[in-house]
Amino acid sequence: MKKLITTRQLIFILLISLCSLKVLFLPSLLVKEISRDSYLFFFIMLLLDFLVLLVFLLLSKKFPELSFYEIMQKFFGKVIAKIIMTLFCLFFLTKCWAVFQSNYIYLNENLHTSIQWYTFSIPLLIVVFYMSTFGVNAFARLIEIMFPVVLMGFLLSFFIGLFRADFTELLPICENGFFTNFSTIYRFSFWFGDYLIFIVFLGNIKPDKKFNLKIVISTLVGIVMMTVFMMIVFSVFSYSTVCHTNSISDIMQILPSSSDIGGFDWIIILIWDIGLFLYFTLNVLGAFYCIRQVLPKFNQQIIVCILLAIILGANLFSHFDIIHTVEIIKQYVSYFSIAMQYAFPILFLLFSFFNKSDKNAKNETGNFSSDPLGDKSKNKGEIYKGKLQPKIKQSDSIKQLVNIKSKVNSKIKFCITSKKKEQKC
Amino acid sequence: MENLETRVKNLKEELHNSSDIIIKKISNGKNDVFVIFIDGIVEQQELNLNILAPLYKFKSFKNCSLEDIKTGIVNFSNAEIIEPKDIQNNLLRGYALLFIDGDERALGFNVIHYDGRTVQEPPTSAVINGPREGFVENIKINVSLIRKRLVCKHLKIEDLTVGKRTQTSVKLLYLDDIADKKIVQEVKDKINKIDIDGVLDSYYIGTFLENKPNSIFRQVGSCEKPDIACSKILEGRIAIIVDGSPIVLTVPLIAFEDFQSSNDYYSEPHKASTLRILRIIALIMSVYLPGMYIALRLYHYKVLPLKFLVTVVNSTQNLPFNPFLEILFIIVLFDVLFEASLRMPKYLGIAVSIVGALILGDTAVQAGLVSHPGVMIVAMSGITIYILPNQSSQVSLLRFIFALVGGVLGLHGLILASMFLFGYLANFDSFNTPYLAPLAPYISNDQKDFIFKENLTQMTTRPESIPNMQEVRMNNDMLYKDKKDKKDNKDNENKTNKKVLKQSDSIQNKLKPAKEKSISKDKKLKEQNKQNNPENEDRKDNFEI
């Protein structure tokens, strides 16, 4: 039985992926390059991400019953679809690597100064990769439980900063000119493009009424909140971050009035750790989903072990020189990420216009329901029995229609065969 | 056929000549009858007065059949003819069996009587308000306690027998018009598949019903009070009563069931809500407190507020153990004391707990082996474990694991362990019911009786998280809404039927020209055939006629 994620769960997933990676490591990197206008960069990149999300929403609307891999097969054929899935798997693995590094830096600088990389990494990787075998549905439920906690952490950070922010520090905007500031921003694109995770959920969503509207509104609210949060961060810490360590939790600790919020500080730190963990698991799920499409006959546990070994190896390689790792990401991985994050969605958009919608096919099979669940409606029916009854009746009427069709067809066949016999005679 | 006396003796021999098997020979005239029963599990007075006494008074059993004795001689209505293959089983269950010459069958008298407890309040589910009756070990009494409350024709009771040697009777109770048929069937299938020598308690059945029997988390609910069992049955669950056990199992189970107490339903909603929040806080404290204390003291003392840090440091100076070992030592000490007090006689147990908790704890602190905060933390988490008695074994294990993780990986480890725990629970399903419902997946309708309990008048529907066939449970506004929904559904149905008819019409219209063509072609062919072979056509017509 296919299990589906609800619109609410999807919204939480999108919001978690919107904020988790960006708040810890990126602000301090950006401040060193773009200074106080970094929030503008954030806003532009988030809007770009939003456009990518719209492409995926379009795909989900046009092909509601198809998974991402099936859509790719429809667009490009089996071989190219597998290549695309492999590329996405690599992309998610790279993200995992980056998240892993960010998490380690963040812990090492703030929470757990004496932690060894292996003490940190091995349990984390084992838990994350084991959880990725639970599947999308279990993860969506986990996000549903944890989202209020992460939201609380975000709001705490937000309001603590808001009361201390002086927004005049952000003025004048683009003092050195817009293009001078933003000529090198593509190098930071890797920290964005989180909505690509939508590909895991295509075909697995149980859409509500006004599904698209809900997703769009919640994402826009998230983007606005995130931008304001970044305005707060850059207005308060625009100069101080250069002399300090890399993550935002450290920035929070060097607040002039940190003694007031000392009690809250560790709560915020803990909550960001939860956010990062969820984001990490999300990307592992993405990588796992993609590789499973490429190698469908392989044992799941073997695939998980291979992915685990790849990430562990990459971290073993990079943990000795983290700054160098960041440079690698900025220089080389950024091109790859631009291709995956923006070029591919544009391609999908173009191909979606040239391909027929899946709805006609659905009607041919007699599914009148707007719910693109198929099998899942049964699943839902077990839980929400009362609401399902009309659909069952509809399906009965569909059966009648199919019966009529088959009877007519058989009569025609009979006519043709009898004619042939007569002709033979 | 063998002699009657040897038959009875053989039967006793088959049961290894057990000393409690009593054989009574009643000789009236030439024909004898034998009555055989097991001492101790039959109602002796009833047997003597209503069965044996009339038999002794009867003059002759000549030409008497078992049916004659059943209807004419014995003054006992609860009697039945037992086939030879069932004789042994019925004797062991407590039937008194009567044998006559010339008949292989036996006449069985249901005089089963087991001594047991009377109905009383269960010790682990004591309430301030509400009914105080609890289940006992007798299955019949347990069923009657539920029947008394659910006077409803839809209450269905199904009998099953489990255990090759114990032949334990198991009863499934559910409301036929509410409980989900698939779940009922699944439960029945699982119980029927049990191939075990003996079932001594409902726990045995519960283990077989679980999808993941090695998990530390329960997947089958339990209750000790008929009012709780009835409320669960009314929600669409299935109750499983096992003979010899005062614990009634219920499926499906959701994790938050244990946060609900029967007291909540017999008191004001605001009070129930407050208590539920307290229970959640208590659970969090019991699991996280020792681990958190170790993590903060070992790795993250900087994040503590200064005044608190000073207090802790002052009281933990000069301790020989580090906080990790200290807390583990206290946890083990307290758990040993708890086990000892359980195993000892009641009054000695109280003395042991006083000596252990007060004197030993205080002396250990004064000796400088453990600190005051350490004892306090473990004591607090130890007490809060028993706020949810059904979850106590799981929670105490989790407390230990979290203390270990906190000691090794600090707060990061605690977060990791929590994520794993929640992820694992989120992946759990008990009979198609998400274990963490109605939190994950979030079911808005079920929030009425989740952390915050609403007034009884507002709980008009059954929980959606439990699969059921009737959503509405209360006849007020909701019923009106239900009617309206039904009407809407009917309208929708009519619309869809019309659509279907239209579509079928359109298909038929599309097919009409093809049909007409084929018919016209047929006619033409026939005419051609007629013209070519007039004889064949005549034969065909004859054949058709």
Side-chain angles (χ1 to χ4, degrees):
Chain A
M1 233 171 351
K2 204 173 177 183
K3 289 178 177 175
L4 301 163
I5 62 161
T6 59
T7 311
R8 179 189 156 91
Q9 287 169 340
L10 185 65
I11 288 171
F12 288 170
I13 289 168
L14 294 176
L15 289 176
I16 288 265
S17 53
L18 176 75
C19 66
S20 293
L21 183 62
K22 297 176 188 81
V23 292
L24 290 175
F25 202 67
L26 192 56
S28 58
L29 284 176
L30 279 175
V31 156
K32 285 166 193 165
E33 297 237 359
I34 321 175
S35 181
R36 64 183 171 214
D37 293 328
S38 306
Y39 73 93
L40 268 180
F41 166 73
F42 257 95
F43 186 62
I44 293 164
M45 294 305 277
L46 288 175
L47 279 183
L48 271 177
D49 276 0
F50 178 68
L51 294 178
V52 172
L53 178 71
L54 289 182
V55 172
F56 283 109
L57 284 177
L58 184 78
L59 283 179
S60 77
K61 197 178 178 184
K62 210 163 181 186
F63 309 102
E65 284 189 349
L66 298 185
S67 69
F68 180 69
Y69 178 63
E70 287 164 341
I71 296 171
M72 289 300 102
Q73 268 190 327
K74 200 172 182 172
F75 284 0
F76 308 107
K78 203 174 179 181
V79 178
I80 297 176
K82 289 210 171 186
I83 294 170
I84 291 172
M85 295 312 279
T86 314
L87 286 174
F88 271 109
C89 176
L90 277 175
F91 176 74
F92 287 126
L93 283 178
T94 327
K95 281 254 176 188
C96 290
W97 175 44
V99 178
F100 194 82
Q101 291 299 332
S102 307
N103 206 344
Y104 179 61
I105 294 165
Y106 156 71
L107 274 181
N108 212 9
E109 288 178 354
N110 301 287
L111 199 64
H112 220 313
T113 44
S114 57
I115 196 165
Q116 294 295 325
W117 78 272
Y118 48 83
T119 326
F120 159 74
S121 58
I122 292 170
L124 175 69
L125 284 173
I126 290 171
V127 169
V128 166
F129 276 84
Y130 180 63
M131 278 183 61
S132 67
T133 58
F134 290 170
V136 172
N137 199 263
F139 180 73
R141 286 181 193 173
L142 176 66
I143 286 241
E144 208 166 15
I145 300 166
M146 285 300 152
F147 181 76
V149 182
V150 178
L151 182 71
M152 196 179 75
F154 180 81
L155 292 178
L156 264 173
S157 316
F158 188 91
F159 286 109
I160 288 167
L162 186 67
F163 295 125
R164 288 163 181 79
D166 179 10
F167 290 108
T168 53
E169 289 284 334
L170 299 173
L171 297 172
I173 301 166
C174 296
E175 198 177 7
N176 304 323
F178 185 81
F179 290 105
T180 334
N181 260 356
F182 291 94
S183 57
T184 53
I185 58 167
Y186 70 89
R187 296 200 294 147
F188 295 98
S189 60
F190 181 73
W191 274 268
F192 294 85
D194 301 308
Y195 295 138
L196 283 186
I197 202 66
F198 206 107
I199 66 170
V200 179
F201 305 108
L202 277 175
N204 280 318
I205 306 161
K206 187 173 70 189
D208 274 6
K209 281 177 190 171
K210 297 176 184 173
F211 166 75
N212 290 336
L213 190 70
K214 279 179 185 173
I215 297 278
V216 167
I217 288 175
S218 56
T219 316
L220 281 177
V221 169
I223 288 171
V224 170
M225 289 288 280
M226 197 66 198
T227 312
V228 177
F229 181 71
M230 285 303 153
M231 285 172 77
I232 293 165
V233 168
F234 292 116
S235 68
V236 177
F237 312 109
S238 55
Y239 300 105
S240 61
T241 41
V242 184
C243 356
H244 286 278
T245 49
N246 286 314
S247 68
I248 197 169
S249 51
D250 186 66
I251 297 170
M252 299 303 287
Q253 278 181 332
I254 58 131
L255 263 172
S257 53
S258 62
S259 60
D260 300 347
I261 59 161
F264 287 114
D265 201 30
W266 62 275
I267 299 173
I268 296 167
I269 291 168
L270 279 178
I271 288 162
W272 283 129
D273 204 23
I274 294 172
L276 262 183
F277 175 88
L278 293 175
Y279 185 74
F280 191 9
T281 318
L282 201 59
N283 280 289
V284 172
L285 262 176
F288 188 51
Y289 167 79
C290 293
I291 201 75
R292 247 188 354 190
Q293 310 300 324
V294 180
L295 307 166
K297 287 175 185 172
F298 256 66
N299 188 346
Q300 280 194 14
Q301 278 150 354
I302 294 173
I303 293 176
V304 167
C305 290
I306 292 169
L307 293 181
L308 182 70
I310 291 170
I311 290 289
L312 201 60
N315 284 292
L316 184 66
F317 172 74
S318 61
H319 92 274
F320 297 108
D321 191 356
I322 286 158
I323 302 302
H324 182 63
T325 308
V326 173
E327 283 307 313
I328 290 173
I329 292 173
K330 272 169 34 179
Q331 282 179 6
Y332 303 109
V333 182
S334 53
Y335 297 109
F336 174 57
S337 66
I338 286 172
M340 300 305 293
Q341 287 167 204
Y342 307 112
F344 269 110
I346 291 169
L347 204 65
F348 301 155
L349 183 69
L350 290 175
F351 271 82
S352 70
F353 286 127
F354 294 120
N355 272 275
K356 254 188 176 181
S357 166
D358 202 39
K359 282 173 190 169
N360 298 332
K362 222 177 21 162
N363 283 340
E364 278 166 22
T365 55
N367 191 352
F368 290 112
S369 162
S370 62
D371 190 3
L373 312 183
D375 231 358
K376 330 146 196 168
S377 57
K378 282 181 200 165
N379 180 26
K380 194 196 168 204
E382 281 161 15
I383 302 171
Y384 313 99
K385 198 82 187 180
K387 294 173 186 172
L388 190 74
Q389 285 167 353
K391 275 182 195 165
I392 294 168
K393 282 169 187 169
Q394 278 184 354
S395 69
D396 286 340
S397 58
I398 290 158
K399 276 179 190 169
Q400 285 173 359
L401 177 63
V402 172
N403 282 337
I404 292 165
K405 249 184 157 181
S406 61
K407 276 178 187 172
V408 171
N409 282 335
S410 61
K411 275 184 182 174
I412 292 167
K413 273 182 187 173
F414 176 71
C415 288
I416 291 164
T417 47
S418 61
K419 260 184 271 165
K420 280 179 184 173
K421 279 179 187 173
E422 282 166 4
Q423 277 174 349
K424 276 179 188 175
C425 287
Chain B
M1 195 193 285
E2 55 190 339
N3 182 279
L4 181 62
E5 195 162 352
T6 49
R7 257 180 79 199
V8 174
K9 274 183 184 171
N10 285 344
L11 182 62
K12 194 175 177 182
E13 266 173 24
E14 278 171 25
L15 300 171
H16 303 284
N17 285 322
S18 294
S19 58
D20 58 346
I21 296 174
I22 312 288
I23 299 172
K24 296 259 181 196
K25 186 180 176 185
I26 301 163
S27 306
N28 293 345
K30 285 181 182 176
N31 296 81
D32 298 335
V33 295
F34 284 86
V35 176
I36 182 165
F37 58 91
I38 296 176
D39 193 23
I41 58 171
V42 294
E43 176 69 60
Q44 200 70 47
Q45 203 178 0
E46 200 164 21
L47 182 70
N48 290 337
L49 283 176
N50 299 331
I51 298 160
L52 294 178
L55 286 171
Y56 278 120
K57 280 177 193 170
F58 197 65
K59 285 175 186 171
S60 171
F61 293 109
K62 197 179 179 182
N63 297 331
C64 262
S65 66
L66 289 175
E67 283 80 7
D68 295 335
I69 297 172
K70 184 185 167 190
T71 50
I73 304 167
V74 179
N75 184 19
F76 192 74
S77 59
N78 205 351
E80 56 185 300
I81 306 288
I82 290 165
E83 294 301 319
K85 62 179 170 58
D86 298 327
I87 284 174
Q88 210 178 75
N89 268 344
N90 282 297
L91 179 67
L92 291 170
R93 281 168 64 193
Y95 272 63
L97 301 177
L98 184 141
F99 294 92
I100 57 166
D101 212 1
D103 198 337
E104 279 191 332
R105 300 171 303 162
L107 181 61
F109 302 100
N110 188 350
V111 281
I112 304 168
H113 174 77
Y114 296 101
D115 282 326
R117 283 191 303 140
T118 52
V119 175
Q120 53 191 258
E121 188 172 19
T124 54
S125 307
V127 288
I128 301 164
N129 303 322
R132 288 179 169 72
E133 281 180 334
F135 287 121
V136 290
E137 284 75 8
N138 189 323
I139 195 166
K140 280 187 180 174
I141 297 175
N142 290 347
V143 172
S144 69
L145 287 172
I146 291 179
R147 270 265 183 232
K148 193 169 85 176
R149 284 167 176 81
L150 288 177
V151 188
C152 167
K153 66 175 181 180
H154 293 293
L155 178 66
K156 194 169 176 180
I157 302 175
E158 290 191 41
D159 283 357
L160 301 165
T161 308
V162 191
K164 279 182 280 187
R165 289 179 189 276
T166 53
Q167 293 290 318
T168 312
S169 67
V170 176
K171 284 182 194 288
L172 299 190
L173 283 86
Y174 57 92
L175 288 169
D176 194 37
D177 57 336
I178 295 175
D180 188 276
K181 294 278 185 296
K182 277 184 189 170
I183 297 178
V184 174
Q185 195 53 47
E186 199 180 335
V187 172
K188 271 198 275 184
D189 289 345
K190 279 189 173 177
I191 293 176
N192 283 329
K193 275 181 194 167
I194 298 174
D195 184 15
I196 192 172
D197 59 344
V199 172
L200 304 176
D201 186 65
S202 57
Y203 178 80
Y204 284 55
I205 303 286
T207 315
F208 284 98
L209 290 177
E210 289 176 344
N211 287 331
K212 293 180 182 174
N214 294 326
S215 170
I216 63 163
F217 296 99
R218 299 186 319 138
Q219 292 143 64
V220 175
S222 62
C223 59
E224 287 185 88
K225 293 180 70 194
D227 56 317
I228 299 175
C230 288
S231 74
K232 288 187 177 185
I233 291 171
L234 282 169
E235 282 177 351
R237 289 188 180 89
I238 300 150
I240 301 148
I241 307 181
V242 178
D243 198 12
S245 174
I247 310 287
V248 170
L249 304 176
T250 54
V251 286
L253 171 80
I254 54 170
F256 293 98
E257 256 176 59
D258 290 327
F259 290 93
Q260 299 164 339
S261 154
S262 60
N263 243 340
D264 297 350
Y265 297 90
Y266 310 126
S267 56
E268 291 79 20
H270 64 269
K271 194 179 169 187
S273 306
T274 318
L275 287 173
R276 282 181 188 181
I277 292 167
L278 265 177
R279 281 176 210 134
I280 291 169
I281 293 169
L283 180 74
I284 293 168
M285 275 169 70
S286 58
V287 175
Y288 284 97
L289 212 53
M292 192 77 101
Y293 176 76
I294 295 170
L296 289 178
R297 275 203 53 205
L298 271 180
Y299 303 106
H300 318 292
Y301 53 88
K302 284 180 198 168
V303 299
L304 287 172
L306 191 63
K307 284 178 188 172
F308 182 67
L309 186 66
V310 169
T311 315
V312 173
V313 168
N314 282 338
S315 58
T316 53
Q317 275 175 344
N318 304 322
L319 287 182
F321 304 123
N322 71 8
F324 183 40
L325 291 176
E326 181 200 353
I327 292 290
L328 286 186
F329 172 69
I330 305 169
I331 288 177
V332 172
L333 188 74
F334 274 40
D335 279 356
V336 167
L337 279 171
F338 177 73
E339 273 305 303
S341 61
L342 276 183
R343 300 278 174 275
M344 284 187 178
K346 200 176 175 183
Y347 299 105
L348 203 61
I350 293 168
V352 165
S353 59
I354 290 168
V355 170
L358 292 177
I359 299 172
L360 199 63
D362 196 44
T363 317
V365 171
Q366 281 180 358
L369 290 172
V370 291
S371 64
H372 280 297
V375 173
M376 202 193 77
I377 293 283
V378 177
M380 273 171 74
S381 74
I383 292 165
T384 46
I385 282 175
Y386 297 100
I387 235 168
L388 301 173
N390 284 339
Q391 299 275 6
S392 60
S393 61
Q394 291 95 316
V395 173
S396 59
L397 184 63
L398 285 178
R399 176 177 71 149
F400 196 73
I401 292 169
F402 274 72
L404 279 176
V405 170
V408 177
L409 288 170
L411 287 177
H412 174 66
L414 287 179
I415 287 174
L416 213 58
S418 312
M419 288 295 117
F420 181 76
L421 175 68
F422 284 116
Y424 180 77
L425 291 176
N427 194 32
F428 238 56
D429 271 4
S430 163
F431 292 91
N432 286 340
T433 306
Y435 198 60
L436 294 182
L439 182 66
Y442 182 84
I443 300 167
S444 56
N445 197 34
D446 289 6
Q447 303 299 319
K448 288 173 188 171
D449 190 17
F450 180 45
I451 297 173
F452 298 99
K453 186 185 162 290
E454 287 191 8
N455 198 304
L456 192 64
T457 53
Q458 283 161 318
M459 288 194 272
T460 47
T461 53
R462 290 193 169 75
E464 279 181 36
S465 40
I466 310 293
N468 61 66
M469 300 203 303
Q470 251 184 44
E471 202 180 339
V472 180
R473 69 184 300 177
M474 200 180 285
N475 187 9
N476 61 5
D477 295 348
M478 199 61 201
L479 187 69
Y480 170 69
K481 198 190 163 191
D482 190 41
K483 278 180 182 171
K484 201 184 164 190
D485 285 346
K486 276 182 185 171
K487 202 185 168 188
D488 289 348
N489 287 344
K490 269 191 179 177
D491 290 345
N492 285 334
E493 223 179 286
N494 290 334
K495 277 179 189 174
T496 48
N497 284 339
K498 277 178 188 173
K499 263 188 187 177
V500 170
L501 285 172
K502 269 186 185 177
Q503 286 189 2
S504 64
D505 285 342
S506 67
I507 288 167
Q508 280 176 346
N509 287 335
K510 279 178 190 173
L511 292 171
K512 250 186 185 176
K515 264 187 175 180
E516 284 169 359
K517 270 185 185 177
S518 66
I519 291 163
S520 62
K521 276 183 182 177
D522 279 357
K523 279 181 180 175
K524 277 180 185 176
L525 277 170
K526 275 182 184 176
E527 283 170 4
Q528 278 178 358
N529 280 337
K530 264 186 185 178
Q531 285 168 0
N532 295 333
N533 305 314
E535 293 174 10
N536 280 347
E537 196 56 38
D538 288 340
R539 257 192 287 164
K540 203 181 173 186
D541 287 342
N542 287 337
F543 182 70
E544 277 177 5
I545 290 162

PDB file of all heavy atoms in Angstrom, chain A residues 180-191:
ATOM      1  N   THR A 180      28.809  45.412  -8.967  1.00  0.00           N
ATOM      2  CA  THR A 180      30.107  45.188  -8.322  1.00  0.00           C
ATOM      3  C   THR A 180      29.935  44.215  -7.167  1.00  0.00           C
ATOM      4  O   THR A 180      30.748  43.325  -6.945  1.00  0.00           O
ATOM      5  CB  THR A 180      30.656  46.524  -7.738  1.00  0.00           C
ATOM      6  OG1 THR A 180      30.125  47.606  -8.472  1.00  0.00           O
ATOM      7  CG2 THR A 180      32.166  46.556  -7.715  1.00  0.00           C
ATOM      8  N   ASN A 181      28.873  44.426  -6.446  1.00  0.00           N
ATOM      9  CA  ASN A 181      28.611  43.577  -5.284  1.00  0.00           C
ATOM     10  C   ASN A 181      28.267  42.153  -5.668  1.00  0.00           C
ATOM     11  O   ASN A 181      28.704  41.203  -5.041  1.00  0.00           O
ATOM     12  CB  ASN A 181      27.430  44.146  -4.491  1.00  0.00           C
ATOM     13  CG  ASN A 181      27.913  44.924  -3.292  1.00  0.00           C
ATOM     14  OD1 ASN A 181      29.100  44.981  -3.021  1.00  0.00           O
ATOM     15  ND2 ASN A 181      26.981  45.539  -2.600  1.00  0.00           N
ATOM     16  N   PHE A 182      27.470  42.037  -6.695  1.00  0.00           N
ATOM     17  CA  PHE A 182      26.866  40.735  -6.979  1.00  0.00           C
ATOM     18  C   PHE A 182      27.517  39.978  -8.131  1.00  0.00           C
ATOM     19  O   PHE A 182      26.962  39.028  -8.638  1.00  0.00           O
ATOM     20  CB  PHE A 182      25.371  40.910  -7.240  1.00  0.00           C
ATOM     21  CG  PHE A 182      24.619  41.299  -6.006  1.00  0.00           C
ATOM     22  CD1 PHE A 182      24.368  42.629  -5.704  1.00  0.00           C
ATOM     23  CD2 PHE A 182      24.192  40.331  -5.122  1.00  0.00           C
ATOM     24  CE1 PHE A 182      23.694  42.984  -4.553  1.00  0.00           C
ATOM     25  CE2 PHE A 182      23.513  40.684  -3.972  1.00  0.00           C
ATOM     26  CZ  PHE A 182      23.276  42.015  -3.681  1.00  0.00           C
ATOM     27  N   SER A 183      28.700  40.449  -8.552  1.00  0.00           N
ATOM     28  CA  SER A 183      29.338  39.789  -9.694  1.00  0.00           C
ATOM     29  C   SER A 183      29.752  38.351  -9.353  1.00  0.00           C
ATOM     30  O   SER A 183      29.860  37.506 -10.225  1.00  0.00           O
ATOM     31  CB  SER A 183      30.547  40.582 -10.172  1.00  0.00           C
ATOM     32  OG  SER A 183      31.441  40.731  -9.079  1.00  0.00           O
ATOM     33  N   THR A 184      29.990  38.099  -8.097  1.00  0.00           N
ATOM     34  CA  THR A 184      30.499  36.763  -7.748  1.00  0.00           C
ATOM     35  C   THR A 184      29.480  35.929  -6.965  1.00  0.00           C
ATOM     36  O   THR A 184      29.829  34.914  -6.371  1.00  0.00           O
ATOM     37  CB  THR A 184      31.767  36.900  -6.889  1.00  0.00           C
ATOM     38  OG1 THR A 184      31.466  37.743  -5.790  1.00  0.00           O
ATOM     39  CG2 THR A 184      32.926  37.430  -7.691  1.00  0.00           C
ATOM     40  N   ILE A 185      28.236  36.352  -7.015  1.00  0.00           N
ATOM     41  CA  ILE A 185      27.263  35.663  -6.148  1.00  0.00           C
ATOM     42  C   ILE A 185      26.982  34.234  -6.579  1.00  0.00           C
ATOM     43  O   ILE A 185      26.561  33.419  -5.782  1.00  0.00           O
ATOM     44  CB  ILE A 185      25.921  36.422  -6.022  1.00  0.00           C
ATOM     45  CG1 ILE A 185      25.326  36.619  -7.388  1.00  0.00           C
ATOM     46  CG2 ILE A 185      26.061  37.678  -5.225  1.00  0.00           C
ATOM     47  CD1 ILE A 185      23.877  37.060  -7.328  1.00  0.00           C
ATOM     48  N   TYR A 186      27.194  33.956  -7.874  1.00  0.00           N
ATOM     49  CA  TYR A 186      26.904  32.595  -8.337  1.00  0.00           C
ATOM     50  C   TYR A 186      27.679  31.554  -7.530  1.00  0.00           C
ATOM     51  O   TYR A 186      27.303  30.401  -7.444  1.00  0.00           O
ATOM     52  CB  TYR A 186      27.216  32.468  -9.830  1.00  0.00           C
ATOM     53  CG  TYR A 186      28.699  32.503 -10.153  1.00  0.00           C
ATOM     54  CD1 TYR A 186      29.457  31.340 -10.182  1.00  0.00           C
ATOM     55  CD2 TYR A 186      29.347  33.718 -10.396  1.00  0.00           C
ATOM     56  CE1 TYR A 186      30.813  31.363 -10.447  1.00  0.00           C
ATOM     57  CE2 TYR A 186      30.704  33.754 -10.652  1.00  0.00           C
ATOM     58  CZ  TYR A 186      31.434  32.569 -10.678  1.00  0.00           C
ATOM     59  OH  TYR A 186      32.773  32.611 -10.922  1.00  0.00           O
ATOM     60  N   ARG A 187      28.787  31.997  -6.936  1.00  0.00           N
ATOM     61  CA  ARG A 187      29.624  31.063  -6.183  1.00  0.00           C
ATOM     62  C   ARG A 187      28.923  30.549  -4.915  1.00  0.00           C
ATOM     63  O   ARG A 187      29.310  29.540  -4.350  1.00  0.00           O
ATOM     64  CB  ARG A 187      30.951  31.720  -5.796  1.00  0.00           C
ATOM     65  CG  ARG A 187      31.776  32.075  -7.025  1.00  0.00           C
ATOM     66  CD  ARG A 187      33.202  32.267  -6.690  1.00  0.00           C
ATOM     67  NE  ARG A 187      33.408  33.428  -5.829  1.00  0.00           N
ATOM     68  CZ  ARG A 187      34.351  33.483  -4.906  1.00  0.00           C
ATOM     69  NH1 ARG A 187      35.138  32.455  -4.707  1.00  0.00           N
ATOM     70  NH2 ARG A 187      34.501  34.573  -4.184  1.00  0.00           N
ATOM     71  N   PHE A 188      27.901  31.264  -4.517  1.00  0.00           N
ATOM     72  CA  PHE A 188      27.191  30.842  -3.292  1.00  0.00           C
ATOM     73  C   PHE A 188      25.875  30.117  -3.602  1.00  0.00           C
ATOM     74  O   PHE A 188      25.089  29.875  -2.698  1.00  0.00           O
ATOM     75  CB  PHE A 188      26.913  32.043  -2.392  1.00  0.00           C
ATOM     76  CG  PHE A 188      28.175  32.666  -1.877  1.00  0.00           C
ATOM     77  CD1 PHE A 188      28.710  33.790  -2.502  1.00  0.00           C
ATOM     78  CD2 PHE A 188      28.838  32.130  -0.798  1.00  0.00           C
ATOM     79  CE1 PHE A 188      29.886  34.363  -2.045  1.00  0.00           C
ATOM     80  CE2 PHE A 188      30.014  32.693  -0.347  1.00  0.00           C
ATOM     81  CZ  PHE A 188      30.542  33.815  -0.968  1.00  0.00           C
ATOM     82  N   SER A 189      25.681  29.840  -4.878  1.00  0.00           N
ATOM     83  CA  SER A 189      24.396  29.222  -5.255  1.00  0.00           C
ATOM     84  C   SER A 189      24.225  27.847  -4.615  1.00  0.00           C
ATOM     85  O   SER A 189      23.105  27.372  -4.448  1.00  0.00           O
ATOM     86  CB  SER A 189      24.301  29.102  -6.773  1.00  0.00           C
ATOM     87  OG  SER A 189      25.366  28.292  -7.229  1.00  0.00           O
ATOM     88  N   PHE A 190      25.333  27.233  -4.263  1.00  0.00           N
ATOM     89  CA  PHE A 190      25.254  25.893  -3.685  1.00  0.00           C
ATOM     90  C   PHE A 190      24.416  25.851  -2.402  1.00  0.00           C
ATOM     91  O   PHE A 190      23.794  24.846  -2.080  1.00  0.00           O
ATOM     92  CB  PHE A 190      26.669  25.386  -3.390  1.00  0.00           C
ATOM     93  CG  PHE A 190      26.690  24.020  -2.814  1.00  0.00           C
ATOM     94  CD1 PHE A 190      26.408  22.915  -3.603  1.00  0.00           C
ATOM     95  CD2 PHE A 190      26.955  23.814  -1.476  1.00  0.00           C
ATOM     96  CE1 PHE A 190      26.413  21.647  -3.065  1.00  0.00           C
ATOM     97  CE2 PHE A 190      26.952  22.554  -0.935  1.00  0.00           C
ATOM     98  CZ  PHE A 190      26.687  21.463  -1.739  1.00  0.00           C
ATOM     99  N   TRP A 191      24.403  26.967  -1.671  1.00  0.00           N
ATOM    100  CA  TRP A 191      23.666  26.977  -0.401  1.00  0.00           C
ATOM    101  C   TRP A 191      22.148  27.141  -0.609  1.00  0.00           C
ATOM    102  O   TRP A 191      21.395  27.186   0.324  1.00  0.00           O
ATOM    103  CB  TRP A 191      24.189  28.095   0.498  1.00  0.00           C
ATOM    104  CG  TRP A 191      25.369  27.650   1.295  1.00  0.00           C
ATOM    105  CD1 TRP A 191      25.356  27.119   2.524  1.00  0.00           C
ATOM    106  CD2 TRP A 191      26.744  27.683   0.904  1.00  0.00           C
ATOM    107  NE1 TRP A 191      26.620  26.805   2.938  1.00  0.00           N
ATOM    108  CE2 TRP A 191      27.504  27.145   1.959  1.00  0.00           C
ATOM    109  CE3 TRP A 191      27.426  28.101  -0.243  1.00  0.00           C
ATOM    110  CZ2 TRP A 191      28.881  27.028   1.918  1.00  0.00           C
ATOM    111  CZ3 TRP A 191      28.789  27.983  -0.283  1.00  0.00           C
ATOM    112  CH2 TRP A 191      29.514  27.446   0.787  1.00  0.00           C
TER     113      TRP A 191
END
